[in-house]
Amino acid sequence: MIFLDVEMPQMDGMKAAEKIRETDEEVILIFITNMAKYAIRGYEVQALDYVLKPVKYQAFSVKMDKVNRLAEKKKDKSIAIKTGTATHRILLSHIQYVEVVQHLLIFHTEDGDFSTRGVLKDVEAVLEENGFYKCNKCYLVNLRHVRSVHDGMALVGNDQLQVSRARKKAFAEAVAAYIGDMQSI
């Protein structure tokens, strides 16, 4: 998290934020300013918020609560998957979807596929609270990787997955809610 004053010597806060964004799109930026009109410009660099000077404890505390909630959401959790004699630690954000084929769970990730024996219901219990949603009885999808939903199909990464008729509406709502939680550009 970086607090930036809008008015700084040599480089103003907006220019500094632009430079920061060139190398790090994830860091949380909060502007500090004595003029509210500059706060709106902070959205150009995806600033989380702004604090007006002089900084008052109550306002600062509210902003920090917001930062803590966002940081907790962004915290990348992982799971361990045992494949044969090896155990792999996989970041949840890297899992695109989990597929079940008979009693084999296939974790399709950015780093390749990992297979293990198991039941989708057990994995669902762990992953659903972390942005995963079932689009049919065979697939548990990481909503972060859904690129589009159209004509009963979800484009997840580079794979087309069937969305069952029974789950079509609920899946579309889950995707919309997830996208709504993201910051628009």
Side-chain angles (χ1 to χ4, degrees):
M1 172 176 53
I2 300 173
F3 288 94
L4 290 167
D5 196 328
V6 172
E7 297 173 337
M8 297 187 301
Q10 292 164 11
M11 182 183 295
D12 69 32
M14 284 303 293
K15 289 275 188 231
E18 289 168 1
K19 293 279 187 198
I20 291 167
R21 284 292 181 233
E22 287 175 12
T23 59
D24 191 339
E25 294 182 14
E26 297 295 319
V27 70
I28 297 170
L29 299 177
I30 296 181
F31 282 100
I32 300 173
T33 182
N34 55 1
M35 293 177 273
K37 69 180 182 178
Y38 290 118
I40 301 302
R41 289 195 54 216
Y43 294 109
E44 294 172 17
V45 291
Q46 291 87 43
L48 177 67
D49 215 329
Y50 67 95
V51 178
L52 286 175
K53 291 184 201 175
V55 177
K56 299 208 175 1
Y57 175 80
Q58 182 62 29
F60 184 76
S61 178
V62 168
K63 306 301 181 193
M64 289 307 296
D65 287 345
K66 188 174 182 180
V67 167
N68 285 334
R69 284 192 307 274
L70 181 63
E72 190 59 36
K73 273 186 176 178
K74 286 187 170 191
K75 191 187 297 182
D76 208 352
K77 299 173 184 162
S78 64
I79 59 170
I81 299 172
K82 187 169 179 146
T83 60
T85 59
T87 300
H88 304 273
R89 180 180 159 264
I90 300 176
L91 296 173
L92 297 186
S93 64
H94 287 204
I95 300 171
Q96 296 174 331
Y97 64 97
V98 182
E99 176 182 16
V100 64
V101 178
Q102 295 174 349
H103 291 287
L104 192 64
L105 294 173
I106 305 166
F107 289 79
H108 298 272
T109 76
E110 295 172 356
D111 309 310
D113 296 345
F114 299 88
S115 300
T116 189
R117 294 201 109 7
V119 181
L120 193 59
K121 187 176 183 178
D122 295 339
V123 175
E124 184 179 6
V126 173
L127 297 180
E128 70 183 354
E129 62 192 40
N130 291 290
F132 286 73
Y133 202 86
K134 211 169 179 183
C135 69
N136 71 34
K137 67 181 182 175
C138 299
Y139 302 115
L140 182 60
V141 175
N142 186 341
L143 298 175
R144 153 186 267 168
H145 290 282
V146 175
R147 295 173 47 193
S148 67
V149 179
H150 184 68
D151 290 335
M153 300 295 285
L155 180 59
V156 181
N158 292 321
D159 297 333
Q160 291 274 350
L161 306 180
Q162 180 81 36
V163 179
S164 72
R165 274 185 273 164
R167 296 183 189 270
K168 191 174 182 178
K169 182 179 178 191
F171 184 74
E173 288 171 355
V175 170
Y178 182 83
I179 291 170
D181 286 345
M182 293 171 46
Q183 194 173 22
S184 328
I185 298 174

